[in-house]
């Protein structure tokens, strides 16, 4: 294949694509808005699945490196009632198909697998335009530009590449997560640490829930879910309703946490402590989705992967799907070295039904988590199907 590939976004999907292309000898350049690999924290735990995330890493030739990152015991799952009573307990016996790793560590091995200079940091996209005959021009915020014959938007929910293909824009789902951390919890917050256990914990009720995961050592990473309007969160003290945001004033973080915790009045203190004792300012994570059946007509020279293509409610599949998209697109391009359009057509014809099915499953999962039968519907899913779920944290 003689057409270099231009990838926008150095998330897991874009990096997997770049790595698979490299394995097949196809040149690619990744443009990333962040200034460096360490510019921001890379999120928490990911459960990497046997049917999509793991095959993608095998295709990238990184499966053994991935296995070395797995945190043993983190597939353990427990469900608690609001009063702290244990409703469900599933141990990690080592036979599960969803091993847990830290997102930042997975990104690190992908970055390390690419030739030096593949990722161009500090390149925030300002605009993208078609040049004709399947070529596109990407202009960056610093005024520089690049023209390309093959452009891939791996740039997430608010993709700047997507408008070349689709008029769809993300819509707020009505639910947001509030993210908090406790550190050295076994020593400093023993009751909360005991409640979370060794893996994932969820305590749910209609319209709300407290979900937490043990990361490395005694770090507890919590996502508090609330079905509330964006205006409600702004009034609660976050800087604004659009996009991730912390409290408007760091000095007011405790007041914001108290306001969120008030929604769980009467719940066990070891659960609400995951909010009120948080050691970082609470961060708002509004949940947005694209239409479940999002698709587009074939436009020469450009396509999408990951959240740019199929943003959905978190259900433990987001990162897995992004990596699988990247691996499958890389495979298709390698299989059609003289016909890029055939490769993109084959890739998209598989992406559309796959992502639509996953989006439907995600919506169903969240109804079981936060609908009228919560938490019993989700517990029935665990015990009936015998399979775990990312409960919103593996996206």
């Amino acid at each position: 294949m003689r057409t270099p590939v231009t990838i926008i976004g150095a998330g897991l999907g874009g990096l997997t694509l770049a790595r698979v292309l490299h394995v097949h000898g196809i040149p690619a350049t990744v443009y990333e808005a962040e200034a460096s690999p360490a510019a921001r924290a890379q999120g928490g735990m990911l459960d990497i699945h046997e049917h999509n995330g793991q095959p993608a890493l095998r295709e990238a030739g990184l499966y053994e490196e991935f296995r070395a990152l797995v945190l043993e015991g983190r597939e353990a799952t427990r469900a608690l009632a609001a009063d702290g009573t244990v409703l469900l307990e599933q141990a990690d016996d080592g036979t599960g198909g969803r091993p847990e790793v830290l997102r930042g560590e997975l990104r690190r091995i992908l970055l390390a697998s690419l030739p030096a200079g593949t990722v161009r940091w500090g390149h925030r996209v300002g605009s993208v335009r078609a040049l004709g005959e399947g070529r596109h021009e990407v202009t960056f915020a610093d005024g520089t530009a690049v023209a390309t014959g093959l452009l891939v938007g791996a740039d997430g929910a608010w993709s700047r590449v997507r408008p070349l293909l689709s008029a769809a824009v993300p819509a707020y789902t009505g639910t947001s997560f509030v993210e908090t951390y406790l550190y050295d919890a076994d020593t400093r917050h023993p009751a909360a640490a005991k409640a979370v256990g060794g893996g994932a914990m969820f305590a749910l009720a209609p319209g709300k829930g407290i979900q937490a995961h043990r990361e490395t050592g005694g770090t507890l990473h919590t996502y508090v879910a609330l079905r509330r309007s964006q205006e409600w969160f702004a009034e609660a003290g976050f800087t604004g309703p659009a996009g991730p945001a912390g409290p408007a004033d760091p000095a007011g973080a405790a007041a914001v946490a108290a306001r969120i915790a008030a929604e769980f009045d009467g719940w066990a203190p070891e659960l609400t402590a995951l909010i009120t004792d948080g050691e970082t300012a609470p961060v708002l994570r509004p949940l947005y989705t694209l239409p479940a059946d999002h698709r587009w007509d074939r436009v020469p020279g450009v396509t999408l992967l990951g959240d740019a293509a199929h943003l959905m409610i978190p259900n433990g599949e987001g990162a897995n799907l992004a990596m699988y998209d990247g691996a499958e697109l890389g495979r298709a391009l390698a299989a059609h070295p003289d016909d890029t359009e055939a490769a993109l057509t084959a890739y998209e014809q598989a992406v559309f039904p796959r992502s639509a099915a996953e989006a439907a499953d995600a919506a169903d999962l969240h109804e079981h988590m936060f609908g009228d039968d919560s938490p019993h519907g989700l517990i029935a899913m665990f015990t009936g199907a015998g399979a775990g779920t990312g409960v919103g944290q593996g996206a």
Side-chain angles (χ1 to χ4, degrees):
M1 180 174 170
R2 292 178 293 276
T3 303
V5 182
T6 299
I7 303 166
I8 306 300
L12 297 180
L15 293 176
T16 300
L17 170 59
R19 170 60 184 177
V20 172
L21 292 174
H22 174 63
V23 168
H24 289 283
I26 300 172
T29 303
V30 183
Y31 293 92
E32 169 56 47
E34 294 175 8
S36 74
R40 67 175 179 89
Q42 292 300 311
M45 301 284 286
L46 296 174
D47 45 330
I48 306 302
H49 304 163
E50 289 179 316
H51 63 285
N52 46 24
Q54 293 181 44
L57 290 166
R58 290 185 188 276
E59 188 70 27
L62 296 173
Y63 183 76
E64 295 306 320
E65 288 88 341
F66 150 70
R67 292 301 312 184
L69 300 178
V70 171
L71 295 175
E72 301 298 334
R74 299 308 194 273
E75 287 188 78
T77 304
R78 58 185 354 214
L80 304 183
D83 64 1
T85 302
V86 177
L87 302 175
L88 172 74
E89 187 86 63
Q90 291 185 337
D92 181 357
D93 62 3
T95 64
R98 308 162 71 95
E100 300 273 355
V101 300
L102 288 169
R103 179 189 291 266
E105 288 296 288
L106 192 56
R107 190 191 197 208
R108 178 183 60 77
I109 65 169
L110 282 162
L111 285 169
S113 74
L114 297 173
T118 298
V119 181
R120 309 289 174 85
W121 301 97
H123 283 72
R124 181 175 298 278
V125 175
S127 63
V128 184
R129 69 186 182 100
L131 298 175
E133 298 183 345
R135 293 183 60 78
H136 295 85
E137 181 183 71
V138 181
T139 301
F140 301 101
D142 63 3
T144 61
V146 61
T148 179
L150 182 46
L151 178 64
V152 180
D155 49 343
W158 307 102
S159 172
R160 303 304 294 269
V161 178
R162 188 192 300 123
L164 294 171
L165 295 161
S166 167
V169 295
Y172 181 55
T173 64
T175 297
S176 290
F177 288 166
V178 176
E179 183 181 21
T180 67
Y181 280 90
L182 295 184
Y183 301 115
D184 194 18
D186 295 308
T187 301
R188 302 176 59 204
H189 310 280
K194 182 178 179 181
V196 172
M201 180 279 296
F202 58 89
L204 307 175
K208 59 186 176 183
I210 300 174
Q211 307 159 75
H213 213 143
R214 181 180 292 270
E215 295 185 354
T216 53
T219 297
L220 304 181
H221 190 177
T222 300
Y223 290 93
V224 180
L226 286 172
R227 280 184 174 170
R228 296 289 185 272
S229 69
Q230 295 175 303
E231 292 73 22
W232 186 92
F233 286 103
E235 292 170 1
F238 291 97
T239 55
D249 178 2
V256 173
R259 179 67 187 87
I260 299 301
E263 297 298 302
F264 300 88
D265 184 43
W267 286 42
E270 61 268 29
L271 294 176
T272 56
L274 291 163
I275 308 169
T276 56
D277 291 356
E279 297 181 66
T280 57
V283 175
L284 182 64
R285 306 289 188 192
L287 304 186
Y288 292 85
T289 62
L290 288 168
D293 60 351
H294 182 233
R295 58 181 59 211
W296 54 87
D297 294 331
R298 174 90 293 280
V299 174
V302 60
T303 193
L304 306 171
L305 63 78
D307 284 351
H310 44 69
L311 179 67
M312 61 188 71
I313 292 179
N315 68 333
E317 295 290 351
N320 286 279
L321 286 175
M323 291 191 295
Y324 193 73
D325 287 352
E328 289 296 284
L329 178 54
R331 279 164 42 97
L333 290 169
H336 299 84
D338 299 317
D339 192 344
T340 297
E341 285 307 299
L344 298 184
T345 297
Y347 162 73
E348 290 175 353
Q349 286 178 345
V351 164
F352 296 148
R354 180 172 67 238
S355 59
E358 291 288 359
D361 286 348
D364 183 60
L365 171 65
H366 271 246
E367 185 57 33
H368 280 88
M369 291 178 70
F370 305 115
D372 292 340
D373 64 344
S374 177
H376 306 293
L378 185 63
I379 291 172
M381 290 180 67
F382 271 96
T383 56
T389 173
V391 289
Q393 299 199 67

